[in-house]
Amino acid sequence: DILHFTVCEDGKLSCKSSAIDLPPEQDIVLRAAKLLQQYTDLGADIQVEKNIPMGGHSIICGVLLETIK
């Protein structure tokens, strides 16, 4: 999978996937971004290009954490 980030200085978070639109409470990438947002006032527009079958989101979350660092 490929993640694309655009910083949003207004603090808003959004996440879109090329595979499926998930409700926010089920979108693990968005949930991880919300947890990380506790440490910054910035938001992000996150685009997920799906290449790995569903269920690979735990790997994406690891990449998200490393990107934020």
Side-chain angles (χ1 to χ4, degrees):
D1 292 350
I2 300 172
L3 297 173
H4 302 275
F5 298 91
T6 303
V7 173
C8 298
E9 294 189 22
D10 61 5
K12 293 182 182 177
L13 289 171
S14 65
C15 184
K16 296 285 185 188
S17 172
S18 63
I20 188 170
D21 284 328
L22 294 171
E25 63 276 0
Q26 292 180 2
D27 189 332
I28 195 165
V29 173
L30 186 57
R31 288 171 45 198
K34 285 180 181 180
L35 289 172
L36 291 171
Q37 196 177 40
Q38 297 174 42
Y39 303 99
T40 179
D41 293 331
L42 298 175
D45 176 33
I46 306 166
Q47 302 289 324
V48 180
E49 259 183 73
K50 288 296 298 164
N51 297 308
I52 299 171
M54 294 302 284
H57 274 94
S58 58
I59 296 168
I60 292 173
C61 288
V63 171
L64 176 61
L65 289 170
E66 287 301 313
T67 301
I68 300 296
K69 287 182 185 178

Coordinates of all heavy atoms in Angstrom, one line a residue:
D1 N 0.8 -1.2 0.0 CA 0.0 0.0 0.0 C 0.9 1.2 0.0 O 2.0 1.2 0.5 CB -0.9 0.0 1.2 CG -1.9 -1.1 1.2 OD1 -2.1 -1.7 0.2 OD2 -2.6 -1.3 2.2
I2 N 0.3 2.3 -0.5 CA 1.0 3.6 -0.5 C 0.2 4.6 0.2 O -1.0 4.7 -0.1 CB 1.3 4.0 -2.0 CG1 2.2 3.0 -2.7 CG2 2.0 5.4 -2.0 CD1 2.3 3.2 -4.2
L3 N 0.8 5.4 1.1 CA 0.1 6.4 1.8 C 0.6 7.8 1.3 O 1.8 8.0 1.1 CB 0.4 6.3 3.3 CG 0.0 5.1 4.0 CD1 0.5 5.1 5.5 CD2 -1.5 5.0 4.0
H4 N -0.3 8.7 1.1 CA 0.0 10.1 0.7 C -0.6 11.0 1.8 O -1.7 10.8 2.2 CB -0.7 10.4 -0.6 CG -0.3 9.5 -1.8 ND1 0.9 9.7 -2.5 CD2 -0.9 8.4 -2.3 CE1 0.9 8.8 -3.4 NE2 -0.1 8.0 -3.3
F5 N 0.3 11.9 2.2 CA -0.1 12.8 3.3 C -0.1 14.3 2.8 O 0.9 14.7 2.2 CB 0.8 12.7 4.5 CG 0.8 11.4 5.2 CD1 1.7 10.4 4.8 CD2 0.0 11.1 6.2 CE1 1.8 9.2 5.4 CE2 0.0 9.9 6.8 CZ 0.9 8.9 6.4
T6 N -1.1 15.0 3.2 CA -1.1 16.5 3.0 C -1.4 17.1 4.4 O -2.5 16.7 5.0 CB -2.2 16.9 2.0 OG1 -1.9 16.2 0.7 CG2 -2.1 18.4 1.8
V7 N -0.5 17.9 4.9 CA -0.7 18.5 6.2 C -1.9 19.5 6.1 O -2.0 20.3 5.1 CB 0.5 19.2 6.7 CG1 0.3 20.0 7.9 CG2 1.6 18.2 6.9
C8 N -2.8 19.5 7.1 CA -3.9 20.4 7.2 C -3.7 21.2 8.5 O -3.8 20.7 9.6 CB -5.2 19.7 7.2 SG -5.5 18.7 5.7
E9 N -3.4 22.5 8.3 CA -3.1 23.3 9.5 C -4.4 23.7 10.3 O -4.3 24.2 11.4 CB -2.4 24.6 9.1 CG -1.0 24.3 8.5 CD -0.1 25.5 8.3 OE1 -0.4 26.6 8.9 OE2 0.8 25.4 7.5
D10 N -5.5 23.4 9.7 CA -6.8 23.7 10.4 C -7.1 22.6 11.4 O -8.1 22.6 12.2 CB -7.9 23.8 9.5 CG -8.2 22.6 8.6 OD1 -7.6 21.5 8.8 OD2 -9.1 22.7 7.7
G11 N -6.3 21.5 11.5 CA -6.5 20.4 12.5 C -7.5 19.3 12.0 O -7.7 18.4 12.8
K12 N -8.0 19.4 10.8 CA -9.0 18.4 10.4 C -8.2 17.2 9.9 O -7.2 17.3 9.3 CB -9.9 19.0 9.3 CG -10.8 20.0 9.8 CD -11.7 20.5 8.7 CE -12.6 21.6 9.2 NZ -13.5 22.2 8.2
L13 N -8.8 16.0 10.1 CA -8.3 14.8 9.6 C -9.3 14.1 8.6 O -10.5 14.1 8.9 CB -8.1 13.8 10.8 CG -7.0 14.1 11.7 CD1 -7.1 13.1 12.9 CD2 -5.6 13.9 11.0
S14 N -8.8 13.6 7.5 CA -9.6 12.8 6.6 C -8.7 11.7 6.0 O -7.5 11.8 5.9 CB -10.1 13.7 5.5 OG -9.1 14.2 4.7
C15 N -9.4 10.6 5.7 CA -8.7 9.5 5.1 C -9.6 8.8 4.0 O -10.7 8.5 4.3 CB -8.4 8.4 6.2 SG -7.4 7.0 5.6
K16 N -9.0 8.7 2.9 CA -9.7 8.1 1.7 C -8.9 6.9 1.2 O -7.7 7.0 1.2 CB -9.9 9.0 0.6 CG -10.8 10.2 0.9 CD -12.3 9.8 1.0 CE -13.2 11.0 1.2 NZ -14.5 10.6 1.5
S17 N -9.5 5.8 0.9 CA -8.9 4.6 0.4 C -9.3 4.4 -1.1 O -10.5 4.6 -1.4 CB -9.2 3.4 1.2 OG -8.7 2.2 0.6
S18 N -8.4 3.9 -1.9 CA -8.8 3.5 -3.3 C -9.6 2.3 -3.3 O -10.2 2.0 -4.3 CB -7.5 3.4 -4.1 OG -6.7 2.3 -3.6
A19 N -9.6 1.5 -2.2 CA -10.3 0.2 -2.2 C -11.8 0.3 -1.7 O -12.7 -0.2 -2.3 CB -9.6 -0.8 -1.4
I20 N -12.0 1.0 -0.6 CA -13.3 1.0 0.0 C -13.4 2.2 1.0 O -12.4 2.6 1.5 CB -13.5 -0.3 0.8 CG1 -14.9 -0.4 1.4 CG2 -12.5 -0.5 1.9 CD1 -15.2 -1.8 1.9
D21 N -14.6 2.7 1.1 CA -14.8 3.8 2.1 C -15.3 3.1 3.4 O -16.4 2.4 3.4 CB -15.8 4.8 1.6 CG -15.3 5.7 0.6 OD1 -14.1 6.0 0.7 OD2 -16.0 6.2 -0.3
L22 N -14.5 3.3 4.4 CA -14.9 2.7 5.7 C -15.5 3.8 6.6 O -15.1 5.0 6.5 CB -13.7 2.2 6.4 CG -13.0 1.0 5.8 CD1 -11.7 0.7 6.5 CD2 -13.9 -0.3 5.9
P23 N -16.5 3.4 7.5 CA -16.9 4.4 8.5 C -15.7 4.8 9.4 O -14.8 4.0 9.6 CB -17.9 3.6 9.3 CG -18.3 2.4 8.5 CD -17.1 2.1 7.6
P24 N -15.7 6.0 9.8 CA -14.5 6.5 10.6 C -14.1 5.6 11.8 O -13.0 5.4 12.0 CB -14.9 7.9 11.0 CG -16.0 8.3 10.1 CD -16.7 7.1 9.6
E25 N -15.1 5.1 12.4 CA -14.8 4.2 13.6 C -14.2 2.9 13.2 O -13.6 2.3 14.1 CB -16.1 4.0 14.5 CG -17.2 3.2 13.8 CD -18.1 4.1 12.9 OE1 -17.9 5.3 12.8 OE2 -19.0 3.5 12.3
Q26 N -14.2 2.5 12.0 CA -13.6 1.3 11.5 C -12.3 1.5 10.7 O -11.6 0.5 10.4 CB -14.6 0.5 10.6 CG -15.8 -0.1 11.4 CD -16.7 -0.8 10.4 OE1 -16.4 -1.0 9.3 NE2 -17.8 -1.3 11.0
D27 N -12.0 2.7 10.4 CA -10.8 3.1 9.7 C -9.6 3.2 10.6 O -9.4 4.2 11.3 CB -11.0 4.4 8.9 CG -9.9 4.7 7.9 OD1 -8.8 4.2 8.1 OD2 -10.2 5.3 6.9
I28 N -8.8 2.1 10.6 CA -7.7 2.1 11.6 C -6.6 3.1 11.3 O -5.9 3.6 12.2 CB -7.1 0.6 11.6 CG1 -6.2 0.5 12.8 CG2 -6.3 0.3 10.3 CD1 -5.9 -0.9 13.2
V29 N -6.4 3.5 10.0 CA -5.5 4.6 9.7 C -5.9 5.9 10.3 O -5.2 6.6 10.9 CB -5.3 4.7 8.1 CG1 -4.4 5.9 7.8 CG2 -4.7 3.4 7.6
L30 N -7.2 6.2 10.1 CA -7.8 7.4 10.7 C -7.7 7.4 12.2 O -7.4 8.4 12.9 CB -9.2 7.6 10.2 CG -9.9 9.0 10.6 CD1 -9.1 10.2 10.1 CD2 -11.3 9.0 10.0
R31 N -8.0 6.2 12.8 CA -7.9 6.1 14.3 C -6.5 6.4 14.8 O -6.3 7.0 15.8 CB -8.5 4.8 14.7 CG -10.0 4.6 14.5 CD -10.5 3.3 14.7 NE -10.0 2.6 15.9 CZ -10.1 1.3 16.0 NH1 -10.7 0.5 15.1 NH2 -9.7 0.7 17.1
A32 N -5.5 5.8 14.1 CA -4.1 6.0 14.4 C -3.7 7.5 14.3 O -3.1 8.1 15.2 CB -3.2 5.2 13.6
A33 N -4.2 8.1 13.3 CA -3.9 9.6 13.1 C -4.5 10.4 14.2 O -3.9 11.3 14.7 CB -4.4 10.0 11.7
K34 N -5.7 10.0 14.6 CA -6.4 10.8 15.7 C -5.6 10.6 17.0 O -5.5 11.5 17.8 CB -7.8 10.3 15.9 CG -8.8 10.8 14.9 CD -10.2 10.3 15.1 CE -11.1 10.8 14.0 NZ -12.5 10.3 14.2
L35 N -5.1 9.4 17.3 CA -4.2 9.2 18.5 C -3.0 10.1 18.4 O -2.6 10.7 19.4 CB -3.9 7.7 18.6 CG -5.0 6.8 19.0 CD1 -4.6 5.3 19.0 CD2 -5.5 7.1 20.5
L36 N -2.3 10.1 17.2 CA -1.1 10.9 17.1 C -1.4 12.4 17.2 O -0.6 13.2 17.6 CB -0.5 10.6 15.7 CG 0.1 9.2 15.7 CD1 0.6 8.9 14.3 CD2 1.3 9.1 16.6
Q37 N -2.6 12.8 16.8 CA -3.0 14.2 16.8 C -3.0 14.8 18.3 O -3.0 16.0 18.4 CB -4.4 14.4 16.2 CG -4.7 15.8 15.8 CD -6.0 16.0 15.1 OE1 -7.0 15.3 15.5 NE2 -6.0 16.8 14.1
Q38 N -3.0 13.9 19.3 CA -2.9 14.4 20.6 C -1.6 15.2 20.9 O -1.5 16.0 21.8 CB -3.0 13.2 21.6 CG -4.3 12.5 21.6 CD -4.2 11.2 22.4 OE1 -3.7 11.3 23.5 NE2 -4.7 10.1 21.9
Y39 N -0.6 15.0 20.0 CA 0.7 15.6 20.2 C 1.0 16.8 19.3 O 2.0 17.4 19.3 CB 1.8 14.6 20.0 CG 1.6 13.4 20.9 CD1 1.0 12.2 20.5 CD2 2.0 13.5 22.3 CE1 0.8 11.2 21.4 CE2 1.8 12.4 23.1 CZ 1.2 11.3 22.7 OH 1.0 10.2 23.5
T40 N 0.0 17.2 18.5 CA 0.1 18.3 17.6 C -1.3 18.9 17.3 O -2.3 18.3 17.5 CB 0.8 17.9 16.2 OG1 0.9 19.0 15.4 CG2 0.0 16.8 15.5
D41 N -1.3 20.2 16.8 CA -2.5 20.8 16.4 C -2.8 20.6 15.0 O -3.8 21.1 14.5 CB -2.4 22.3 16.7 CG -2.4 22.6 18.2 OD1 -2.9 21.8 19.0 OD2 -1.8 23.6 18.6
L42 N -1.9 20.0 14.2 CA -2.1 19.8 12.8 C -3.0 18.7 12.5 O -3.2 17.7 13.2 CB -0.7 19.5 12.1 CG 0.3 20.6 12.3 CD1 1.6 20.2 11.7 CD2 -0.2 21.9 11.6
G43 N -3.6 18.7 11.3 CA -4.4 17.7 10.8 C -3.8 17.1 9.6 O -2.7 17.5 9.2
A44 N -4.5 16.2 8.9 CA -3.9 15.6 7.7 C -5.0 15.1 6.8 O -6.0 14.6 7.2 CB -2.9 14.5 8.0
D45 N -4.8 15.2 5.5 CA -5.6 14.5 4.5 C -4.7 13.3 4.1 O -3.6 13.5 3.5 CB -5.8 15.4 3.3 CG -6.6 14.7 2.2 OD1 -7.4 13.9 2.5 OD2 -6.3 15.1 1.0
I46 N -5.2 12.1 4.4 CA -4.5 10.9 4.1 C -5.2 10.1 3.0 O -6.4 9.9 3.0 CB -4.4 10.0 5.4 CG1 -3.8 10.8 6.5 CG2 -3.6 8.7 5.1 CD1 -4.1 10.1 7.9
Q47 N -4.4 9.8 1.9 CA -4.9 9.0 0.8 C -4.2 7.6 0.9 O -3.0 7.6 0.9 CB -4.6 9.7 -0.5 CG -5.2 11.1 -0.6 CD -6.7 11.1 -0.8 OE1 -7.2 10.2 -1.4 NE2 -7.3 12.0 -0.2
V48 N -5.0 6.6 0.8 CA -4.4 5.2 0.9 C -4.6 4.5 -0.5 O -5.8 4.4 -0.9 CB -5.1 4.3 2.0 CG1 -4.5 2.9 2.0 CG2 -5.0 5.0 3.3
E49 N -3.5 4.2 -1.1 CA -3.6 3.5 -2.4 C -3.4 2.0 -2.1 O -2.4 1.6 -1.7 CB -2.4 3.9 -3.3 CG -2.7 4.8 -4.4 CD -1.5 5.1 -5.2 OE1 -1.1 4.2 -6.0 OE2 -1.0 6.2 -5.1
K50 N -4.5 1.3 -2.1 CA -4.5 -0.1 -1.7 C -3.9 -1.0 -2.8 O -4.3 -1.0 -3.9 CB -6.0 -0.6 -1.5 CG -6.6 -0.1 -0.2 CD -5.9 -0.5 1.0 CE -6.0 -2.0 1.2 NZ -5.0 -2.5 2.2
N51 N -2.9 -1.8 -2.4 CA -2.2 -2.8 -3.2 C -2.2 -4.1 -2.5 O -2.0 -5.2 -3.1 CB -0.8 -2.4 -3.6 CG -0.8 -1.1 -4.4 OD1 -1.5 -1.0 -5.4 ND2 -0.1 -0.1 -4.0
I52 N -2.3 -4.1 -1.2 CA -2.3 -5.2 -0.3 C -3.8 -5.6 0.0 O -4.6 -4.6 0.3 CB -1.5 -5.0 1.0 CG1 -0.1 -4.6 0.7 CG2 -1.6 -6.2 1.9 CD1 0.7 -4.2 1.8
P53 N -4.2 -6.8 0.0 CA -5.6 -7.1 0.4 C -5.9 -6.6 1.7 O -5.1 -6.4 2.6 CB -5.6 -8.7 0.4 CG -4.4 -9.1 -0.5 CD -3.4 -8.0 -0.3
M54 N -7.2 -6.4 1.9 CA -7.7 -5.8 3.2 C -7.2 -6.7 4.3 O -7.0 -7.9 4.2 CB -9.2 -5.8 3.3 CG -9.9 -4.8 2.3 SD -9.3 -3.1 2.5 CE -10.2 -2.7 3.9
G55 N -6.9 -6.0 5.5 CA -6.3 -6.7 6.6 C -4.9 -6.3 6.8 O -4.3 -6.6 7.8
G56 N -4.3 -5.6 5.8 CA -2.9 -5.1 5.9 C -2.8 -3.8 6.6 O -1.7 -3.2 6.7
H57 N -3.9 -3.2 7.2 CA -3.9 -1.9 7.8 C -2.9 -1.8 9.0 O -2.4 -0.8 9.3 CB -5.3 -1.5 8.2 CG -6.0 -0.8 7.1 ND1 -6.9 -1.6 6.3 CD2 -6.0 0.4 6.7 CE1 -7.4 -0.7 5.4 NE2 -6.9 0.5 5.7
S58 N -2.6 -2.9 9.7 CA -1.7 -2.8 10.8 C -0.3 -2.4 10.4 O 0.4 -1.7 11.1 CB -1.7 -4.2 11.6 OG -1.3 -5.2 10.8
I59 N 0.0 -2.9 9.2 CA 1.3 -2.5 8.6 C 1.3 -1.0 8.3 O 2.3 -0.3 8.5 CB 1.7 -3.3 7.4 CG1 1.8 -4.8 7.8 CG2 2.9 -2.8 6.7 CD1 1.9 -5.8 6.6
I60 N 0.2 -0.6 7.7 CA 0.1 0.9 7.3 C 0.2 1.7 8.6 O 0.8 2.8 8.5 CB -1.3 1.1 6.6 CG1 -1.3 0.4 5.3 CG2 -1.5 2.6 6.5 CD1 -2.6 0.5 4.5
C61 N -0.4 1.3 9.7 CA -0.3 2.1 10.9 C 1.1 2.2 11.4 O 1.5 3.3 11.9 CB -1.2 1.5 12.0 SG -2.9 1.7 11.7
G62 N 1.9 1.2 11.2 CA 3.3 1.3 11.5 C 4.0 2.3 10.7 O 4.8 3.1 11.2
V63 N 3.7 2.3 9.4 CA 4.3 3.3 8.5 C 3.8 4.7 8.9 O 4.6 5.6 8.9 CB 3.9 3.0 7.0 CG1 4.3 4.1 6.1 CG2 4.5 1.6 6.6
L64 N 2.6 4.8 9.2 CA 2.1 6.1 9.7 C 2.8 6.6 10.9 O 3.2 7.8 10.9 CB 0.6 6.0 10.0 CG -0.1 7.2 10.5 CD1 -0.1 8.4 9.5 CD2 -1.6 6.9 10.9
L65 N 3.1 5.8 11.8 CA 3.8 6.2 13.0 C 5.2 6.6 12.7 O 5.7 7.6 13.2 CB 3.9 5.0 14.0 CG 2.6 4.7 14.7 CD1 2.7 3.4 15.5 CD2 2.1 5.8 15.6
E66 N 5.9 5.9 11.8 CA 7.3 6.2 11.4 C 7.3 7.6 10.6 O 8.2 8.4 10.7 CB 7.9 5.1 10.5 CG 8.2 3.9 11.4 CD 9.2 4.2 12.5 OE1 10.3 4.9 12.2 OE2 9.0 3.8 13.6
T67 N 6.2 7.8 9.8 CA 6.2 9.0 9.0 C 6.0 10.2 9.9 O 6.6 11.3 9.7 CB 5.0 9.0 8.0 OG1 5.2 7.8 7.1 CG2 4.9 10.2 7.2
I68 N 5.2 10.1 10.9 CA 5.0 11.2 11.8 C 6.2 11.6 12.6 O 6.5 12.7 12.9 CB 3.8 10.9 12.8 CG1 2.5 10.6 12.0 CG2 3.6 12.0 13.9 CD1 2.0 11.8 11.3
K69 N 7.0 10.6 12.9 CA 8.3 10.8 13.7 C 9.1 11.7 12.9 O 9.9 12.5 13.3 CB 9.0 9.5 14.0 CG 8.3 8.6 15.0 CD 9.2 7.4 15.2 CE 8.5 6.5 16.2 NZ 9.3 5.2 16.4

